[in-house]
């Protein structure tokens, strides 16, 4: 592909350059639906297709090259690689700078003088600067001047303007003294735009101040910026826009801090916190009151108040205010539970599943019955993901809202963001995982326990009298159970078999964590961290389960279940809740704890039989093992 493009451009270079002048790019470029280059690139691509369809290959190639240059996204966070693909999926991606051949970069260099549209001129010059060998500083300067040709305004800033100005600053920093006084001029232009801003321009001044802040500019004018932001925050508050008010107070606090005015900075932080309180009051007084939403605002207010150094809290009675808000937060949390609706669906007939589960374990030797018992349900992380993606596709509205998970006492314990169409699949991963967890914890576990585990367990307890010693012996022979933990594992499994799931889960959860840790250690993985004082501490299960080696050892499906059962706040979070005494009587015998006990039994039994199948012992030894497991009374 690259070779073909290189040959075509080289063979027709002068014709392509000449064709660009007459290709009508200005009218096509003006047809873009908004101020974004990516949108304008679509119009250019369409014009290129029409030209190629009419047999005008040279004109089509000129338009297509410019369209590809416009299509890339711009990020100032990567100075040396600022351009990325517009889209990317497992099948491929759109254009990036390295896709262009040397001849095509030379084409961009040749036509920059013909372009008088600032954003396009800056993009072409920037590409030549990045890909040129050796780099020519003239194109970096041309890119800076083009990106900043028009004064900052809301009309352009909320399009490509903000990214272009940030890129211009990045280029100026990169070439240092070679940029001359351009960085100073950029700073002056932004300060001037901030000074004339008003509330009818929305967040324009806030975003301008953020550009200065992120690029470490504006320090000599910090008081001016802070005062303007403070005035805007007060104006927004008077208009009842508490969200905008709080954001501007937050920015003002940072700018006062830069100026060295710490008391005024703290005053702005207090004002920001109170803007959240005002938002809470406004929501409760609205036509659609919600204590859950109001509780979220109070939570944000408390977090902001906590940012105030303790040495400065007495002046504003901040500790007392935090305690007051905590009491109100607790009250709102409890009221929020009463506001929640129960959404029900049609019942599911599980009669056939129940009978199949009973039949699978009935009238079998104990070792065969237990193997069938732990095979009753199977979770596939890949299938869960497919179900989640299908759900998001069929019910798209659910994808755009943040999901809040509350504890039994009304506390917010987890939040999962909504999906954004502008983000890549990787950036939306958290939202996808939240839906997967909802399916797994909200449907799969309950269905497995009620239709499979409970019916089969009833048959097992009727047909087999298993003592604690049997499970201890089973744990001793299972390779996955760490040495010295056989008694604890065995007792946990026995308690569950006797339906004492509350006792079983309290024994089992910490042993599952230790088991994961030991398996990682055996694989040569470090499971500890060293603090600044040289104290070495073992990592918890949440950290261990995120190690890539964990999935290599346990597989994708088991790793997913361990994470969601024991670590995720969106799920039962058994490890944390048990460690901190957060399980009450009802939760300690819930479907989730029953399933977690069954999952632990599954790990032990499957590990035992997998090792037995791989053992090279003779048949007589294997028969001895079978005989011993088939006589639980001997254990």
């Amino acid at each position: 592909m690259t070779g073909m493009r290189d040959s075509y451009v080289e063979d027709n270079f002068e014709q392509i350059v000449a064709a660009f002048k007459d290709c009508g790019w200005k009218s096509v470029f003006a047809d873009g639906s908004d101020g974004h280059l990516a949108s304008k690139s679509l119009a250019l691509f369409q014009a290129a297709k029409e030209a190629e369809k009419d047999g005008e290959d040279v004109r089509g190639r000129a338009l297509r090259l410019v369209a590809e240059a416009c299509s890339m996204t711009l990020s100032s966070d990567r100075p040396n690689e600022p351009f990325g693909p517009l889209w990317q999926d497992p099948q491929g991606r759109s254009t990036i700078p390295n896709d262009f051949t040397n001849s095509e970069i030379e084409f961009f260099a040749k036509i920059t003088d013909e372009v008088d549209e600032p954003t396009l001129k800056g993009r072409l010059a920037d590409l030549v600067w990045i890909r040129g060998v050796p780099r020519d500083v003239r194109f970096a300067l041309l890119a800076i001047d083009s990106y900043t040709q028009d004064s900052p305004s809301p009309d352009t800033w909320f399009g490509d303007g903000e990214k272009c100005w940030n890129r211009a600053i990045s280029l100026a920093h990169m070439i240092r003294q070679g940029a001359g006084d351009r960085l100073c001029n950029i700073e002056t232009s932004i300060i001037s735009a901030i000074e004339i801003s008003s509330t009818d321009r929305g967040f324009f001044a806030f975003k301008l101040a953020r550009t200065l802040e992120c690029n470490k500019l504006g320090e000599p004018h910090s008081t001016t910026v802070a005062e303007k932001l403070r005035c805007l925050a007060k104006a927004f508050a008077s208009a009842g826009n508490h969200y905008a008010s709080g954001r501007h107070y937050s920015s003002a606090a940072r700018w006062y801090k830069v100026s060295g005015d710490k008391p005024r900075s703290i005053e702005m932080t207090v004002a920001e916190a109170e803007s959240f309180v005002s938002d809470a009051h406004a929501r409760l007084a609205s036509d659609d009151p919600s204590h859950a939403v109001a509780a979220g605002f109070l939570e944000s207010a408390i977090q902001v108040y906590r940012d105030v150094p303790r040495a400065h809290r007495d002046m504003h009675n901040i500790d007392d205010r935090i305690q007051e808000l905590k009491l109100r937060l607790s009250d709102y949390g409890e009221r929020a539970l009463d506001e929640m609706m129960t959404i029900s669906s049609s019942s599911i007939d599980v009669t056939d599943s129940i009978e199949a589960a009973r039949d699978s374990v009935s009238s079998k030797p104990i070792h065969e019955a237990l193997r069938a018992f732990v095979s009753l349900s199977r979770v596939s992380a890949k299938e869960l993901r497919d179900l989640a993606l299908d759900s998001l596709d069929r019910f798209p509205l659910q994808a755009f809202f943040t999901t809040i998970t509350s504890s039994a006492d009304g506390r917010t314990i987890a939040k999962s963001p909504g999906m954004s169409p502008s983000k890549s699949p990787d950036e939306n991963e958290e939202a996808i995982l939240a839906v997967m967890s909802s399916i797994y914890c909200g449907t799969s576990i309950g269905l497995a326990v009620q239709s499979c585990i409970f019916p089969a367990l009833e048959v097992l307890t009727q047909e087999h009298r298993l003592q604690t010693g049997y499970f201890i012996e089973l744990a001793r022979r299972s390779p996955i159970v760490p040495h010295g933990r056989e008694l604890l594992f065995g007792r946990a499994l026995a308690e569950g078999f006797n339906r004492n799931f509350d006792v079983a889960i309290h024994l089992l959860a910490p042993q599952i964590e230790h088991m994961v840790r030991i398996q990682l250690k055996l694989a040569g993985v470090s499971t500890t961290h060293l603090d600044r004082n040289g104290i070495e501490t073992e990592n918890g299960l949440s950290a261990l389960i995120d190690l890539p080696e964990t999935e290599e050892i346990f597989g994708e499906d088991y790793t997913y279940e361990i994470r969601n059962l024991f670590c995720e706040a969106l799920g039962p979070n058994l490890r944390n809740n048990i460690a901190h005494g957060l399980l009450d009587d009802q939760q300690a015998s819930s479907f989730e704890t029953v399933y977690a006990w069954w999952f632990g039994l599954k790990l032990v039994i499957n590990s035992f039989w997998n090792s037995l199948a791989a053992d090279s012992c003779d048949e007589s030894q294997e028969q001895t093992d079978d005989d011993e497991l088939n006589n639980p009374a001997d254990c």
Side-chain angles (χ1 to χ4, degrees):
M1 180 69 178
T2 301
M4 291 173 60
R5 288 176 63 162
D6 221 358
S7 175
Y8 185 91
V9 174
E10 285 181 339
D11 294 344
N12 301 275
F13 188 82
E14 294 300 332
Q15 294 95 316
I16 292 177
V17 172
F20 175 77
K21 300 178 181 179
D22 302 323
C23 70
W25 69 269
K26 287 187 179 182
S27 60
V28 175
F29 201 73
D31 290 338
S33 59
D34 56 34
H36 293 83
L37 273 179
S39 297
K40 296 178 182 296
S41 73
L42 297 178
L44 289 167
F45 272 123
Q46 185 60 39
K49 289 180 181 179
E50 293 174 359
E52 292 164 353
K53 184 179 179 180
D54 294 338
E56 300 180 25
D57 292 341
V58 176
R59 178 171 177 267
R61 177 54 62 93
L63 285 167
R64 185 173 293 276
L65 285 173
V66 177
E68 289 178 343
C70 293
S71 71
M72 296 179 292
T73 60
L74 173 61
S75 172
S76 59
D77 296 335
R78 304 183 302 271
N80 292 310
E81 296 181 353
F83 299 114
L86 179 63
W87 57 266
Q88 186 169 3
D89 58 34
Q91 282 71 47
R93 56 164 173 73
S94 58
T95 307
I96 61 173
N98 285 342
D99 292 337
F100 293 110
T101 65
N102 293 335
S103 297
E104 290 165 351
I105 295 297
E106 186 180 350
F107 165 72
F108 293 145
K110 199 80 171 177
I111 66 173
T112 50
D113 290 338
E114 299 292 331
V115 175
D116 55 4
E117 201 287 326
T119 309
L120 176 58
K121 192 181 191 75
R123 172 63 60 92
L124 297 177
D126 207 347
L127 277 172
V128 177
W129 160 253
I130 292 170
R131 284 289 313 276
V133 180
R135 282 185 170 180
D136 189 340
V137 74
R138 291 179 303 159
F139 289 99
L141 297 176
L142 183 58
I144 295 172
D145 293 340
S146 300
Y147 284 146
T148 60
Q149 178 174 319
D150 296 328
S151 299
S153 71
D155 294 335
T156 59
W157 199 263
F158 295 109
D160 284 329
E162 182 176 9
K163 293 180 179 179
C164 288
W165 278 74
N166 275 282
R167 175 58 181 166
I169 294 171
S170 177
L171 285 169
H173 280 305
M174 189 180 299
I175 61 178
R176 299 181 182 180
Q177 294 181 352
D181 58 359
R182 286 175 173 80
L183 200 56
C184 181
N185 293 337
I186 290 173
E187 182 180 72
T188 300
S189 295
I190 294 177
I191 295 293
S192 297
I194 290 175
E195 289 181 311
I196 62 173
S197 293
S198 58
T199 54
D200 59 2
R201 293 189 168 196
F203 279 79
F204 181 52
F206 175 86
K207 288 181 172 292
L208 291 172
R210 184 176 62 183
T211 293
L212 292 175
E213 185 178 357
C214 292
N215 291 285
K216 297 180 172 54
L217 297 176
E219 183 174 350
H221 311 277
S222 54
T223 300
T224 299
V225 175
E227 284 292 328
K228 184 63 180 183
L229 292 168
R230 181 181 66 84
C231 291
L232 290 172
K234 292 181 65 176
F236 279 121
S238 298
N241 190 341
H242 303 296
Y243 173 74
S245 175
R247 295 298 300 276
H248 283 74
Y249 275 130
S250 174
S251 185
R254 293 193 298 273
W255 280 99
Y256 276 123
K257 188 174 182 179
V258 171
S259 72
D261 192 343
K262 184 171 287 187
R264 185 56 67 90
S265 176
I266 293 171
E267 182 183 328
M268 295 298 99
T269 300
V270 171
E272 178 195 0
E274 289 302 318
S275 71
F276 285 113
V277 178
S278 297
D279 252 331
H281 291 160
R283 184 54 192 265
L284 292 179
S286 69
D287 295 334
D288 182 26
S290 170
H291 284 86
V293 175
F297 287 132
L298 291 188
E299 181 182 292
S300 298
I302 292 171
Q303 290 175 350
V304 172
Y305 268 130
R306 284 174 174 161
D307 288 338
V308 177
R310 291 196 172 274
H312 299 274
R313 290 188 178 185
D314 290 344
M315 182 182 301
H316 298 278
N317 297 317
I318 288 176
D319 287 333
D320 291 341
R321 184 59 167 159
I322 289 176
Q323 291 304 314
E324 178 188 346
L325 294 177
K326 280 184 175 180
L327 291 174
R328 198 181 304 177
L329 177 62
S330 178
D331 176 54
Y332 286 4
E334 292 177 4
R335 292 173 182 263
L337 295 177
D338 296 332
E339 297 171 347
M340 293 182 180
M341 298 183 299
T342 299
I343 301 175
S344 59
S345 60
S346 57
S347 59
I348 301 174
D349 187 354
V350 295
T351 304
D352 293 341
S353 297
I354 291 174
E355 289 304 316
R358 288 171 173 165
D359 291 342
S360 70
V361 300
S362 180
S363 304
K364 291 181 179 179
I366 185 56
H367 75 286
E368 292 184 14
L370 285 176
R371 290 182 72 181
F373 180 56
V374 299
S375 301
L376 287 172
S377 180
R378 182 187 69 87
V379 169
S380 166
K382 182 180 183 304
E383 290 176 5
L384 279 174
R385 174 176 288 275
D386 290 341
L387 286 172
L389 292 173
D390 179 63
S391 175
L392 291 168
D393 182 56
R394 289 188 294 116
F395 308 105
L397 275 181
Q398 68 173 317
F400 298 107
F401 298 100
T402 297
T403 301
I404 298 175
T405 303
S406 299
S407 64
D409 58 0
R411 290 179 297 110
T412 298
I413 57 176
K415 294 181 181 179
S416 56
M419 295 182 68
S420 171
S422 63
K423 293 181 179 179
S424 67
D426 288 343
E427 292 174 314
N428 280 320
E429 181 69 8
E430 194 173 349
I432 296 172
L433 290 175
V435 179
M436 290 173 64
S437 181
S438 176
I439 296 171
Y440 174 68
C441 300
T443 304
S444 300
I445 288 178
L447 198 59
V449 171
Q450 294 179 84
S451 66
C452 298
I453 296 173
F454 271 160
L457 183 59
E458 181 182 356
V459 173
L460 283 174
T461 53
Q462 289 175 355
E463 296 187 358
H464 301 280
R465 177 176 160 269
L466 298 183
Q467 299 178 356
T468 301
Y470 176 82
F471 290 101
I472 294 174
E473 182 65 16
L474 183 64
R476 185 182 68 81
R477 298 190 184 190
S478 177
I480 207 169
V481 176
H483 178 67
R485 304 299 176 105
E486 303 87 356
L487 185 64
L488 289 168
F489 255 102
R491 284 180 174 175
L493 299 181
E495 291 293 344
F497 189 79
N498 292 319
R499 291 179 174 267
N500 297 323
F501 298 112
D502 51 353
V503 177
I505 197 60
H506 279 79
L507 286 171
L508 187 62
Q511 298 312 314
I512 293 287
E513 176 173 345
H514 183 69
M515 177 266 294
V516 172
R517 181 180 295 112
I518 291 301
Q519 292 299 317
L520 287 166
K521 286 180 181 289
L522 291 174
V525 181
S526 173
T527 63
T528 62
H529 69 275
L530 200 65
D531 68 14
R532 65 181 65 181
N533 297 318
I535 305 299
E536 189 173 14
T537 308
E538 286 286 357
N539 291 325
L541 183 59
S542 297
L544 298 176
I545 204 69
D546 286 334
L547 295 173
E549 293 85 356
T550 303
E551 188 168 311
E552 294 175 9
I553 295 170
F554 292 96
E556 180 184 14
D557 298 337
Y558 278 2
T559 301
Y560 179 83
E561 292 210 76
I562 294 172
R563 176 185 286 111
N564 278 269
L565 284 171
F566 296 97
C567 304
E568 286 291 339
L570 291 173
N573 202 8
L574 292 172
R575 186 266 183 193
N576 177 72
N577 289 342
I578 289 171
H580 299 289
L582 297 176
L583 283 187
D584 60 23
D585 293 343
Q586 183 177 1
Q587 294 166 333
S589 297
S590 63
F591 289 153
E592 289 84 358
T593 57
V594 174
Y595 186 90
W597 164 79
W598 173 85
F599 179 75
L601 180 65
K602 181 178 184 176
L603 287 174
V604 171
I605 289 179
N606 284 350
S607 173
F608 168 74
W609 286 108
N610 288 341
S611 68
L612 195 64
D615 200 345
S616 59
C617 295
D618 59 21
E619 293 183 2
S620 62
Q621 178 62 46
E622 186 170 335
Q623 182 63 46
T624 299
D625 289 332
D626 282 353
D627 289 342
E628 290 179 1
L629 285 172
N630 274 317
N631 292 280
D634 296 337
C635 297

